[in-house]
């Protein structure tokens, strides 16, 4: 049935899309939202809708995670732990920078941290260039300590794995882990046991943060990593993403350009 659905004109596809699926049969999806999943799976319809179905089940189960934040969150320094860098990599990938030491668990609850990450990536996926070219992530663990790593429980690690790799249509091209410490190495030794080799091969651990210059030009990176960017928060992406998230229903949203 799924193959037949995607031979129909787009305006008719939504009418019968997954009509036999309990989780999705009542939803009239935005076409752009469906395309996110098709692009992720390289137009393998079975894979696309298996992932979409899991996402809808997850969203219905965790409705509060999809609610936008109050404005008070943005005055907290911890809210700046995740940044979308203003320039893409030469191959067109969006570059995401996470500086974990900026997150103070006593200031920003872990549940809010998960919401920030989820909302940020959901809004990123609305960009067609990101859908096609993917994302390269840089996570800096300098200054992290036990208070951060105690959240690396099996339940939280599974949550991260399930949402990132089974539900949302993210194309993850590279993961760069900077300034590793014993806590990170322990977590990585656990996590990689459950990952496909394809993902493991895309993870790079850098004891010297400047080694990242072997993977990115200076124009893409902040000055603290040997780059040229002086203000990496200029776009205020999180604030804009939070506003857009208010319109993000279970049916998805239109692309933005």
């Amino acid at each position: 049935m799924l193959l037949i659905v995607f031979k129909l004109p787009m305006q008719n596809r939504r009418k019968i899309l997954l009509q036999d699926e309990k989780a999705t049969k009542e939803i009239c999806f935005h076409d752009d939202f469906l395309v996110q999943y098709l692009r992720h799976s390289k137009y393998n319809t079975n894979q696309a809708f298996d992932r979409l179905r899991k996402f809808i089940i997850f969203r219905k189960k965790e409705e509060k995670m999809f609610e936008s934040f109050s404005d008070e969150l943005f005055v907290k320094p911890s809210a700046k732990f995740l940044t979308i860098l203003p320039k893409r990599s030469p191959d067109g990938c969006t570059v995401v920078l996470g500086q974990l030491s900026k997150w103070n668990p006593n200031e920003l609850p872990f549940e809010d941290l998960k919401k920030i990450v989820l909302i940020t990536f959901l809004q990123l996926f609305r960009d067609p260039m990101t859908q096609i070219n993917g994302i390269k992530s840089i996570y800096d663990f300098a200054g992290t300590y036990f208070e951060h790593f105690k959240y690396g429980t099996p339940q939280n690690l599974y949550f991260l794995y399930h949402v990132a790799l089974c539900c949302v249509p993210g194309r993850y091209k590279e993961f760069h882990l900077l300034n590793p410490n014993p806590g990170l190495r322990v977590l990585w030794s656990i996590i990689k046991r459950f990952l496909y080799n394809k993902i493991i091969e895309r993870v790079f651990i850098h004891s010297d943060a400047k080694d990242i210059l072997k993977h990115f030009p200076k124009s893409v990176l902040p000055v603290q990593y040997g780059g040229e960017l002086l203000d990496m928060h200029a776009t205020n992406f999180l604030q804009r993403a939070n506003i857009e998230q208010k319109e993000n229903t279970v049916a998805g949203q239109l692309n933005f350009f």
Side-chain angles (χ1 to χ4, degrees), residues 97 136-142 174-181 184-185 188 201-216 221 225:
L97 172 63
K136 294 184 179 181
S137 298
I138 303 169
Y139 295 105
D140 187 355
F141 290 84
E174 293 178 5
F175 298 89
H176 296 272
L177 311 182
L178 312 185
N179 300 305
N181 55 26
L184 172 62
R185 295 188 185 279
W188 175 238
E201 292 170 356
R202 296 179 180 184
V203 176
F204 303 88
I205 299 178
H206 307 281
S207 296
D208 184 348
K210 296 296 177 65
D211 283 349
I212 201 167
L213 288 170
K214 299 176 183 178
H215 299 266
F216 297 90
L221 299 173
Y225 302 109

Side-chain angles (χ1 to χ4, degrees), residues 59-168:
R59 173 154 187 161
K60 290 182 177 180
K61 180 180 178 182
E62 302 287 349
E63 289 184 5
K64 289 188 176 298
M65 285 201 65
F66 292 82
E67 297 174 356
S68 58
F69 293 100
S70 64
D71 292 339
E72 287 77 12
L73 176 133
F74 299 109
V75 302
K76 298 180 179 181
S78 290
K80 290 189 175 183
F81 79 94
L82 191 67
T83 304
I84 310 304
L85 296 182
K87 295 186 178 181
R88 294 178 180 271
S89 62
D91 53 1
C93 293
T94 294
V95 183
V96 178
L97 172 63
Q99 296 170 301
L100 279 301
S101 64
K102 289 187 175 182
W103 170 48
N104 180 351
N106 297 318
E107 177 185 65
L108 184 71
F110 183 66
E111 291 304 309
D112 285 345
L113 177 140
K114 291 197 298 184
K115 285 183 66 173
I116 287 176
V117 174
L118 179 62
I119 289 174
T120 296
F121 278 85
L122 287 178
Q123 293 301 320
L124 273 181
F125 297 150
R126 293 175 60 207
D127 186 332
M129 284 192 67
T130 301
Q131 295 167 15
I132 295 169
N133 297 318
I135 296 171
K136 294 184 179 181
S137 298
I138 303 169
Y139 295 105
D140 187 355
F141 290 84
T144 55
Y145 51 98
F146 173 75
E147 190 68 16
H148 295 97
F149 289 103
K150 75 177 185 180
Y151 292 95
T153 63
Q155 181 181 8
N156 288 334
L157 293 178
Y158 174 77
F159 175 89
L160 174 64
Y161 169 86
H162 179 68
V163 176
L165 299 181
C166 301
C167 294
V168 300

